[in-house]
């Protein structure tokens, strides 16, 4: 009878040993089993990514179909009823400042953007400096921060933002003018239709999400962060006007370029471009405000990004979901507040950090004397154990 083959029976060079080893019972089975498990794992990851993508796209399509018959009808009626009014205002603007494309695109964009940014930002600055009106304090996302804001830090922000809005922005808008002239765009005196404006805004939002997400993640790379993006993250609890508080190179690539790409690809009318630029600017002012105000889009995600640095890079959150860069945010208590508040009740009141109904436990200090005699507890020796904060 021949003994069962073992590894000790095989001698010779490595190739011969490998060939003889492959003939052992179970070798192929184990190998095929491991390959099968690896293939199943890869297939599972691909399937999970596909599910996320289909869920996001499907949800957008369903929501669009559900609201378009009602929302677009009302907006179209408003646009049609007031169409003559807006066209008349645009004609007056062209008559007053001239129909020069360079003046409209360069100086018009700079002036309109500056007025909107500081017109809204001054309201938040007043709240952060004076802590009034008192009724707005309850909407603070990080209570106790910037209450009041440091005057020196605020002056530094104002100086950097003004440099970005004048020198850096002027160069970028000047370059954008020549790019639009090369590409070609709608220079007619008639305003575009409502449906076309709505379509262009939707495209601009998606393009900005892609451009901002990847450029933002790029500046979080360790070789770029300390030289460029670290300036913006000096504020772990941001205020509204820190939206453009950034290194000039970052401001060009991550702030201005993603916003400009949409109108450039579409060849948008100047009025549509202005509308889009100001909507994007209002969005980033709200995202950095530090207040989760009622009836405003939730800014909990970007505030969490400033707090934790490596979460929530995007604007909409779609690419964060697909790339898994918001997993800690979604597992935190703060994610439950990431909704648009349709009442005057603060998000922190609806979703508190800790269970306010839990009663504090009493902790009795043990006597330092080792005695068998029962120790009578003094009232002063009873301490209240603070409630633990739930993340």
């Amino acid at each position: 009878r021949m003994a069962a083959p073992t590894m000790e029976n095989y001698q010779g060079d490595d190739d011969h040993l490998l060939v003889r080893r492959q003939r052992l019972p179970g070798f192929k089975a184990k190998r095929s089993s491991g390959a099968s498990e690896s293939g199943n794992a890869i297939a599972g990851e691909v399937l999970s990514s596909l599910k996320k993508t289909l869920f996001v796209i499907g949800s957008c399509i369903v929501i669009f179909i559900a609201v378009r018959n009602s929302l677009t009808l009302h907006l179209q009626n408003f646009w049609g009823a007031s169409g003559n009014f807006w066209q008349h205002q645009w004609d007056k603007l062209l008559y007053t400042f001239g129909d020069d494309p360079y003046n409209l695109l360069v100086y018009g964009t700079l002036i309109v953007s500056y007025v909107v940014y500081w017109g809204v930002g001054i309201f938040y600055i007043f709240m952060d400096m004076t802590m009034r009106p008192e009724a707005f304090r309850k909407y603070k996302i990080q209570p106790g921060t910037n209450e009041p804001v440091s005057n020196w830090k605020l002056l530094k922000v104002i100086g950097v933002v003004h440099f970005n809005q004048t020198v850096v922005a002027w160069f970028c808008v000047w370059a954008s003018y020549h790019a639009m002239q090369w590409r070609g765009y709608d220079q007619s005196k008639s305003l575009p239709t409502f449906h076309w404006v709505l379509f262009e805004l939707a495209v601009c939002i998606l393009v900005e999400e892609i451009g901002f997400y990847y450029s933002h993640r790029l500046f979080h790379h360790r070789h770029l962060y300390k030289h460029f993006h670290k300036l913006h993250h000096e504020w772990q609890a941001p205020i509204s006007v820190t939206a453009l508080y950034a290194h000039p190179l970052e401001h060009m690539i991550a702030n201005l370029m993603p916003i400009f790409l949409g109108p450039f690809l579409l060849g948008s009318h100047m009025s549509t471009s202005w509308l889009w630029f100001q909507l994007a600017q209002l969005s980033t002012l709200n995202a950095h405000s530090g207040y989760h105000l009622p009836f405003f889009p939730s800014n909990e995600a970007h505030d969490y990004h400033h707090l934790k640095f490596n979460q929530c890079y995007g604007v909409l959150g779609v690419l964060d979901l697909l790339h898994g860069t918001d997993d800690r945010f979604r597992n935190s208590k703060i994610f439950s507040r990431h909704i648009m508040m349709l009442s005057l009740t603060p998000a922190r009141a609806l979703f508190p950090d800790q269970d306010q109904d839990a009663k504090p436990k009493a902790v009795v200090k043990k006597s330092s004397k080792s005695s068998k005699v029962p120790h009578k507890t003094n009232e002063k020796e009873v301490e209240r154990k603070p409630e633990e904060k739930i993340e």
Side-chain angles (χ1 to χ4, degrees):
R1 297 182 181 178
M2 296 181 63
T6 61
M7 290 304 300
E8 288 78 2
N9 298 127
Y10 302 108
Q11 297 177 356
D13 56 11
D14 295 338
D15 294 337
H16 178 71
L17 180 61
L18 179 61
V19 171
R20 299 297 297 273
R21 185 185 175 190
Q22 289 176 353
R23 296 177 183 174
L24 288 173
F27 179 82
K28 293 183 179 180
K30 292 179 180 178
R31 185 177 178 182
S32 61
S33 176
S36 176
E37 291 178 0
S38 176
N40 291 337
I42 295 174
E45 292 178 2
V46 173
L47 183 60
S48 177
S49 300
L50 278 175
K51 284 181 178 179
K52 290 180 180 179
T53 306
L54 292 175
F55 173 76
V56 173
I57 296 175
S59 299
C60 292
I61 294 175
V62 170
I63 293 173
F64 176 76
I65 294 175
V67 302
R68 92 177 178 87
N69 289 334
S70 56
L71 180 61
T72 56
L73 177 63
H74 293 295
L75 291 176
Q76 187 178 11
N77 290 336
F78 168 77
W79 187 275
S82 58
N84 293 333
F85 170 79
W86 295 116
Q87 184 64 56
H88 181 62
Q89 302 306 313
W90 183 252
D91 293 338
K92 285 173 59 178
L93 186 144
L94 295 180
Y95 178 79
T96 304
F97 297 100
D99 193 14
D100 184 6
Y102 181 86
N103 290 334
L104 286 175
L105 202 153
V106 178
Y107 296 109
T109 301
L110 291 174
I111 292 172
V112 173
S113 299
Y114 184 90
V115 170
V116 171
Y117 188 89
W118 291 106
V120 175
I122 197 69
F123 170 72
Y124 288 106
I125 290 176
F126 175 80
M127 288 199 299
D128 290 325
M129 292 186 67
T130 64
M131 299 178 65
R132 301 188 189 288
E134 186 67 28
F136 282 83
R137 309 310 304 170
K138 60 186 178 182
Y139 299 114
K140 195 85 167 122
I141 297 177
Q142 299 184 44
T145 58
N146 303 317
E147 294 183 332
V149 65
S150 168
N151 292 336
W152 169 246
K153 290 179 67 178
L154 180 60
L155 287 174
K156 182 183 177 183
V157 168
I158 292 174
V160 172
V161 171
H162 271 83
F163 179 80
N164 285 336
Q165 285 184 314
T166 52
V167 179
V168 179
W170 182 88
F171 172 76
C172 291
V173 175
W174 174 83
S176 300
Y177 166 76
H178 290 285
M180 293 295 284
Q181 289 291 328
W182 171 81
R183 185 251 181 264
Y185 66 101
D186 185 1
Q187 300 185 43
S188 64
K189 294 184 179 180
S190 300
L191 294 177
T193 62
F194 166 76
H195 283 95
W196 186 247
V197 171
L198 199 63
F199 168 75
E200 288 195 334
L201 289 178
V203 173
C204 288
I205 290 171
L206 294 177
V207 171
E208 185 206 13
E209 170 71 4
I210 296 171
F212 181 75
Y213 178 86
Y214 291 110
S215 61
H216 190 187
R217 284 198 70 177
L218 176 66
F219 278 101
H220 269 268
H221 190 277
R222 64 181 183 276
H223 295 310
L224 298 178
Y225 178 84
K226 60 183 178 181
H227 299 294
F228 302 103
H229 196 48
K230 187 177 180 180
L231 177 67
H232 185 69
H233 273 281
E234 287 178 358
W235 293 76
Q236 284 187 271
I239 60 175
S240 62
V241 291
T242 59
L244 302 184
Y245 178 67
H247 188 280
L249 183 63
E250 180 194 350
H251 184 57
M252 284 191 292
I253 297 175
N255 290 342
L256 299 180
M257 190 178 295
I259 296 175
F260 167 71
L261 281 177
F264 174 76
L265 294 174
L266 297 168
S268 301
H269 191 273
M270 193 66 252
S271 61
T272 308
S273 297
W274 280 2
L275 176 61
W276 161 239
F277 294 156
Q278 304 326 307
L279 287 175
Q281 196 166 229
L282 291 173
S283 174
T284 191
L285 281 168
N286 175 63
H288 290 85
S289 68
Y291 294 87
H292 189 167
L293 298 175
F295 310 107
F296 277 56
S298 172
N299 51 357
E300 297 281 353
H302 195 72
D303 196 273
Y304 189 84
H305 171 75
H306 274 261
L307 187 65
K308 300 297 183 181
F309 297 100
N310 58 356
Q311 291 280 296
C312 307
Y313 296 100
V315 179
L316 302 176
V318 177
L319 291 177
D320 281 302
L321 177 62
L322 294 179
H323 289 289
T325 49
D326 61 351
D327 50 352
R328 288 170 55 194
F329 173 63
R330 290 180 175 275
N331 292 326
S332 69
K333 184 70 176 179
I334 299 174
F335 181 69
S336 59
R337 306 178 192 138
H338 188 45
I339 55 175
M340 180 184 288
M341 303 303 299
L342 301 179
S343 68
L344 298 180
T345 306
R348 295 184 67 89
L350 290 177
F351 308 98
D353 284 334
Q354 55 189 3
D355 188 3
Q356 298 178 352
D357 297 331
K359 296 180 180 179
K361 299 179 181 179
V363 178
V364 181
K365 285 186 176 180
K366 295 182 179 180
S367 175
S368 59
K369 296 180 181 180
S370 56
S371 174
K372 296 182 180 179
V373 181
H375 177 69
K376 182 181 288 187
T377 304
N378 194 331
E379 292 181 359
K380 294 182 179 180
E381 295 180 355
V382 180
E383 294 181 353
R384 295 292 181 184
K385 181 179 180 182
E387 295 173 322
E388 295 180 355
K389 185 176 181 180
I390 302 175
E391 187 181 359

